Amino acid sequence: MTDAIDRYVAQLADRLGAGQDTWRLLAETDGHLRDAQSALQAQGMDPAEAAELAVRRFGDPAAVAKARSPRRRAVGLLSGGWLVVSLGLVVIGLSGLVSWGLEAIWGPAFLAGDVNGVTYTAARCADFQGFFPEAGSCAAAAAMHHSDEIVSERLAAGILGLVLLAAWLLVRRLRGAVPIAREDRRMLLVASAVAFLGVGLVGFGWGALSVILDLVRGLAVAGVGVRLSDGAIALVAGVVAVILLARFLRRGVSTPPMPSTPSAPTGAPA
């Protein structure tokens, strides 16, 4: 059965985030509130009323959470930002895999061919055909060059994201979870959802519109695959971020299990 103190500590934990420093602060807060409750009970107050009064005197949990050191919050925000950037790079790497698949199915021109009417100088065509002599034309060589750059750059970003994510997990394993305040967690989720959905809607919408316009005008569909792949993966990531944000906002505050602490020795054995 929980009382006002248990609920207060749970709300404070939810705002501070997980971490060893947080557990110590929660244990200290719980101990201080229990001492205050005991003192009030000694004056004849009911236990539940004593807990309520002790909590009111201690202060609002949101204000207490914000009063922690700026350095501690900065470290937590840095950890959350590192994770978001790492996952963002991994998402870019996934779009590279999708681009690779589109190139294999419909060819380099669909993925990264130049829009209709684009031409190159003779020198530039010679450069492209020097890289891809098997292309057969300047336009085909340019499309192969562009698609190679698109796929390789996105895959490289994905590999970098995996390295950064592995580093984040290693630090977390060695040093323990870095506490991220509730308001910072919410901000990172909102920023991720807005960024991914914005990129996805613009990229996929632009790509789909380009396909429709090319078909209506009777032109060859070219250079739309990269926008479709980037937009589709970004939309998926945005939907995932929205789901996580909705679950975060909907989740109620529950009472966390307090870490066990060894009891002080009561004395030497007789």
Side-chain angles (χ1 to χ4, degrees):
M1 182 177 178
T2 62
D3 60 5
I5 294 177
D6 292 326
R7 294 191 296 271
Y8 182 93
V9 173
Q11 292 171 6
L12 186 60
D14 189 59
R15 285 169 170 80
L16 289 174
Q20 293 181 355
D21 291 343
T22 299
W23 290 125
R24 284 193 290 269
L25 177 59
L26 294 177
E28 292 173 1
T29 301
D30 185 80
H32 178 82
L33 291 172
R34 293 298 174 190
D35 289 342
Q37 181 190 29
S38 299
L40 292 171
Q41 286 183 246
Q43 300 174 13
M45 189 173 290
D46 176 81
E49 294 178 351
E52 293 281 357
L53 182 57
V55 164
R56 288 199 301 271
R57 288 178 174 178
F58 197 79
D60 181 68
V64 174
K66 289 182 179 180
R68 63 192 186 142
S69 69
R71 177 182 176 276
R72 189 167 181 267
R73 180 173 182 182
V75 171
L77 192 56
L78 175 63
S79 173
W82 186 290
L83 177 60
V84 169
V85 170
S86 302
L87 294 176
L89 290 171
V90 171
V91 169
I92 294 175
L94 292 176
S95 73
L97 290 177
V98 174
S99 297
W100 197 1
L102 293 178
E103 179 188 20
I105 297 172
W106 286 295
F110 177 80
L111 178 67
D114 293 305
V115 296
N116 296 282
V118 172
T119 58
Y120 294 98
T121 63
R124 188 58 174 157
C125 283
D127 289 338
F128 288 142
Q129 292 178 307
F131 287 115
F132 301 97
E134 73 280 10
S137 69
C138 178
M144 295 174 71
H145 181 269
H146 298 336
S147 62
D148 265 13
E149 284 186 338
I150 287 170
V151 172
S152 60
E153 288 174 357
R154 282 159 175 73
L155 291 179
I159 293 172
L160 176 60
L162 290 174
V163 171
L164 293 177
L165 182 60
W168 185 86
L169 292 172
L170 179 61
V171 173
R172 179 185 175 92
R173 181 177 180 85
L174 296 177
R175 301 290 299 273
V178 177
I180 305 174
R182 179 179 176 84
E183 59 268 26
D184 294 335
R185 282 176 279 162
R186 182 177 61 246
M187 178 188 67
L188 291 171
L189 283 171
V190 170
S192 299
V194 171
F196 283 131
L197 287 177
V199 171
L201 290 172
V202 172
F204 194 83
W206 186 14
L209 181 61
S210 298
V211 172
I212 295 172
L213 290 177
D214 286 344
L215 293 176
V216 169
R217 292 180 295 179
L219 301 174
V221 178
V224 298
V226 62
R227 294 193 287 273
L228 292 174
S229 62
D230 289 353
I233 294 298
L235 280 176
V236 172
V239 170
V240 172
V242 169
I243 293 173
L244 293 176
L245 177 61
R247 291 180 60 185
F248 174 79
L249 296 176
R250 191 170 58 243
R251 178 174 61 87
V253 178
S254 58
T255 304
M258 296 300 293
S260 58
T261 55
S263 57
T266 56

